[in-house]
Amino acid sequence: MTFTHRHLLGIEHLRAEEIVTILDLAEEYVTLNRAAEKHGEALAGLTQINMFFENSTRTQASFELAGKRLGADVMNMAMQASSITKGETLIDTAMTLNAMHPDLLVVRHPHSGAVDLLAQKVNCAVLNAGDGRHEHPTQALLDALTIRRAKGRLHRLNVAICGDIAHSRVARSNIILLGKMENRIRLIGPPTLMPAGIAEFGCEVYDDMEQGLQDVDVVMMLRLQRERMDGGFIPSEREYYHRYGLDAEKLAHAKPDAIVMHPGPMNRGVEIDGTLADDINRSVIQDQVEMGVAVRMASMDLLARNQRALRGAA
Ligand code: NCD
């Protein structure tokens, strides 16, 4: 097997063949998830704890369903209601949970690097479900699976990532993954929403949608992440939609078979036209949600296998 990690903390730690290993296994889980009988045994007897220190709808639901479909005992910690609000540190909470012997810990946290830190303190496998603006590895993997299924390959594609790149862990993980798979990446958005040090990513940067979208195969839209902004990054949502919102007219500059993606949650009429988002001939947004469950099943399955191998060797 070509996936030997203890944790899934970021795409930056994965080699191209490890990414392919996860996607290939996820394909098998897509088939399982479409069957009437959806139960697998890969995580039977294992305990999975989901710790979400930031709000989440689809990612948390997706991890929960993935664990349950593979037979794990899944617990969702309500972090807002937890001892964190009483002043307990992240590490104390993690150590307390660690003492209950979980096998898989799924963590989302508003601070970049918090999940890596936690992984150093616990004995179980840790999966990063998004840390600040750093990484969101399972999102990039589910996006990759969606692209591979729609386009028949995951290399030599022109991919545009558009909007609030600066605040987006989704963009960062996707840039790393798509780069490792040898695609050409264009970042499109206002200069105020481009991260510092953008040059080192090796992407082409545009502040004009029509130019940037020219002949691309994939258009990935991002939400304006207001919760991570502390001031005037954009003049107004109206003006933003006019210049950077994806509608049929702007999409006409991309290849005729270009697909439209969005990680959700979407702001219709801010970064994307609602009708286009629902157009099943162009939009693969619902496929992304479906692939999310399969990718999380594959990721947890592979980490559990490695855990068993480590225990066997000890
Ligand atoms: C993203 C996230 O939380 O980083 N959402 C998700 O996981 N589906 C993107 C976002 O919040 O805009």
Side-chain angles (χ1 to χ4, degrees), residues 266-282:
M266 260 187 296
N267 291 310
R268 293 168 185 261
V270 180
E271 70 263 357
I272 190 164
D273 169 57
T275 312
L276 179 58
D278 297 333
D279 178 356
I280 53 167
N281 295 314
R282 305 309 297 271

Side-chain angles (χ1 to χ4, degrees), residues 58-59 108 136 139 169-170 223 225 227-228 263-265:
R58 74 210 72 219
T59 306
R108 169 170 286 193
H136 191 352
Q139 178 70 44
R169 54 196 175 210
V170 175
R223 183 175 65 88
Q225 308 208 109
E227 73 278 19
R228 299 201 190 113

Side-chain angles (χ1 to χ4, degrees), residues 52 54-60 108 129-132 135-136 138-139 142 167-171 222-225 227-228 262-267 271 296:
F52 280 66
E54 249 184 21
N55 291 339
S56 166
T57 315
R58 74 210 72 219
T59 306
Q60 183 166 347
R108 169 170 286 193
D131 65 321
E135 280 239 35
H136 191 352
T138 56
Q139 178 70 44
L142 76 87
H167 301 102
S168 178
R169 54 196 175 210
V170 175
L222 299 170
R223 183 175 65 88
L224 275 181
Q225 308 208 109
E227 73 278 19
R228 299 201 190 113
H262 194 303
M266 260 187 296
N267 291 310
E271 70 263 357
R296 290 170 180 127

Side-chain angles (χ1 to χ4, degrees), residues 160-165 186 188-189 209 213 219-222 240:
I161 305 179
C162 314
D164 185 1
I165 318 271
R186 300 184 190 171
I188 316 175
M209 283 288 269
L213 291 179
V219 185
M220 195 179 282
M221 300 308 298
L222 299 170
Y240 182 82

